[in-house]
Amino acid sequence: MVGIARTGTGKTAAFMLPALETLVAGGGLQVLVLCPTRELAQQVCEDTDALAMGSAVRSSVIHGGVAYGPQLDALSRGDEVIVATPGRLIDLQNRGKAKLKGVRLLILDEADRMLDMGFRPQIEDVVRGLGARPQTLLFSATMPNAVHDLALRMTRDAAWVEVTPSGTMAQGISEIAYSVRPDKKPGLLIHLLEQPGWEQVLVFTRTKIGADTLKSRLDGAGVSSDVIHSDRQMRHRTRAIDRFTAGEVRVLVATDIAQRGLDITGISHVVNYDVPLDPGDYVHRIGRTGRAGATGEAVTFVTAGDIGAFRTLEHQLERRLDKVHHPDFDFAGGVVMQRQEPGRRRSRSGHGSGSKAGQRLDADELAALLSHDTPEPRR
């Protein structure tokens, strides 16, 4: 089966509840779930424990960055459900420690992300280690061509269930974009954090260095924060998520490692501190708020250098985001109407966007570009 549904609508329960119904307690490993990131694997395992509460079913998680001991114990005692990232699982297969012949149900969660991360060869390695062909399920919020091809190769006569079109956003999330100078981005974020309702905020940066730098700026401003990215040890990442979940820190700064697998109740805002270059990443990032029928707000910071990527993003999303211009942070540098609705507006000065390389765009030209206007050529 191939399942497509927008983020935050309960795909984990959609595949795990039926899986648990088919399990034979004490029958050894029967269900294998592959996930692209350690955080998502942990989340799926925790959800499985909650759904299996009161039964004799045991589940364990296998991923890198932690000791082998508990994972080897789980495999040797025959836990019925294993949730794993491909790399560590293949390592254990090669050591002869992971016996997968009894797997009857193979589930690929966030299949599109696994392909983005180059996991196709590892997925195929895992499949070759299975016994009789298991029932295979692929789940994701987006279904690009590469995943469609993988689904056709891995499944036989699959049922395709598309609850909502691939990439559709969850209801209850409002989306806005702020135009901002690059050097003003930390100040704008701190300003927004001072506004009512900004209670639990997840901020995405494009780079690990950017995440660390932003955390330092927030700490300097007295904002409680933590950070997660792939350079941090797994125990530090887990502790940061636990602190954020418990409300001990108000802001969690993260790279795209956190765009999937974080199912935290109460995230009020998601901030794209850097414009995501892929619409799928945008969908998954902002899907960390507004989950399970809740409401939330997604904010994207757009610099003058981001205009091209931002307009491409809107084009691929097939919707325009509400624009906000704040005079203290706007790259245009002028006072522009707050919450300016998308639409056409003529440049007051008559200047245009057809500037040559090296020429400086003035305030009207920048504002017009962000609001999708097409100014007249520069005279």
Side-chain angles (χ1 to χ4, degrees):
M1 196 192 87
V2 178
I4 307 170
R6 66 193 178 203
T7 187
T9 53
K11 291 189 293 297
T12 303
F15 64 69
M16 192 53 72
L17 280 171
L20 292 172
E21 288 290 331
T22 69
L23 285 178
V24 177
L29 176 58
Q30 300 160 61
V31 177
L32 175 63
V33 184
L34 296 181
C35 300
T37 66
R38 301 167 186 177
E39 285 76 15
L40 180 57
Q42 286 183 322
Q43 183 68 59
V44 171
C45 190
E46 291 171 6
D47 290 344
T48 301
D49 288 340
L51 294 171
M53 188 177 295
S55 74
V57 171
R58 296 161 301 183
S59 62
S60 295
V61 62
I62 290 178
H63 57 65
V66 294
Y68 283 85
Q71 300 176 4
L72 293 172
D73 292 342
L75 291 169
S76 63
R77 70 173 173 256
D79 287 5
E80 291 84 0
V81 180
I82 292 293
V83 185
T85 54
R88 174 60 67 91
L89 183 62
I90 291 172
D91 182 13
L92 293 173
Q93 277 184 292
N94 293 337
R95 294 168 180 242
K97 301 298 184 180
K99 309 293 186 182
L100 307 181
K101 299 295 185 182
V103 171
R104 297 187 291 105
L105 185 61
L106 173 65
I107 301 167
L108 273 64
D109 195 14
E110 306 291 8
D112 56 338
R113 183 62 173 165
M114 280 197 278
L115 292 183
D116 287 344
M117 296 173 69
F119 278 132
R120 172 172 287 200
Q122 289 93 327
I123 293 171
E124 294 173 346
D125 284 346
V126 171
V127 171
R128 280 193 290 269
L130 302 178
R133 187 183 184 97
Q135 182 180 4
T136 303
L137 289 76
L138 283 76
F139 281 82
S140 186
T142 59
M143 189 59 60
N145 290 336
V147 179
H148 190 276
D149 176 63
L150 180 68
L152 294 178
R153 294 177 58 183
M154 292 190 60
T155 61
R156 182 183 300 155
D157 300 325
W160 289 70
V161 181
E162 190 169 357
V163 178
T164 51
S166 176
T168 300
M169 264 319 306
Q171 297 176 356
I173 300 178
S174 60
E175 304 169 65
I176 60 174
Y178 277 84
S179 62
V180 58
R181 286 175 47 186
D183 60 313
K184 294 287 188 179
K185 289 166 77 171
L188 175 58
L189 178 59
I190 293 168
H191 167 75
L192 293 174
L193 289 169
E194 295 171 349
Q195 308 308 305
W198 284 68
E199 299 165 355
Q200 194 177 29
V201 183
L202 178 60
V203 182
F204 285 101
T205 64
R206 190 173 297 152
T207 67
K208 293 173 283 191
I209 293 175
D212 288 333
T213 301
L214 179 57
K215 181 190 182 305
S216 297
R217 293 292 297 269
L218 292 173
D219 290 344
V223 178
S224 60
S225 66
D226 214 326
V227 62
I228 60 172
H229 53 65
S230 59
D231 278 356
R232 301 202 76 197
Q233 294 183 6
M234 191 64 211
R235 60 188 177 90
H236 293 149
R237 285 152 57 176
T238 300
R239 181 172 180 271
I241 292 172
D242 289 344
R243 294 179 65 207
F244 184 58
T245 302
E248 296 176 16
V249 295
R250 185 178 169 204
V251 179
L252 182 62
V253 184
T255 57
D256 281 340
I257 196 171
Q259 71 179 16
R260 310 188 192 208
L262 283 187
D263 189 5
I264 298 173
T265 302
I267 294 180
S268 60
H269 292 77
V270 171
V271 177
N272 291 303
Y273 193 77
D274 301 310
V275 174
L277 301 179
D278 181 85
D281 290 342
Y282 177 84
V283 169
H284 284 288
R285 281 183 180 186
I286 72 173
R288 299 309 99 197
T289 187
R291 299 179 71 80
T295 59
E297 186 169 59
V299 176
T300 301
F301 288 180
V302 184
T303 68
D306 293 325
I307 290 175
F310 179 73
R311 294 178 71 175
T312 299
L313 176 67
E314 286 189 315
H315 175 74
Q316 293 175 322
L317 292 172
E318 297 183 347
R319 61 179 179 270
R320 291 184 177 181
L321 307 188
D322 197 12
K323 313 302 186 302
V324 180
H325 301 270
H326 192 292
D328 293 336
F329 306 100
D330 197 315
F331 55 63
V335 178
V336 187
M337 181 176 65
Q338 297 291 310
R339 287 248 180 182
Q340 178 183 314
E341 289 293 329
R344 300 188 62 81
R345 124 179 129 74
R346 305 299 289 180
S347 169
R348 293 190 300 273
S349 65
H351 293 318
S353 62
S355 60
K356 299 178 182 179
Q359 287 183 327
R360 181 179 179 84
L361 297 178
D362 63 23
D364 285 330
E365 290 173 314
L366 290 171
L369 276 172
L370 189 63
S371 58
H372 301 275
D373 202 4
T374 306
E376 298 173 4
R378 181 184 292 275
R379 293 183 175 85

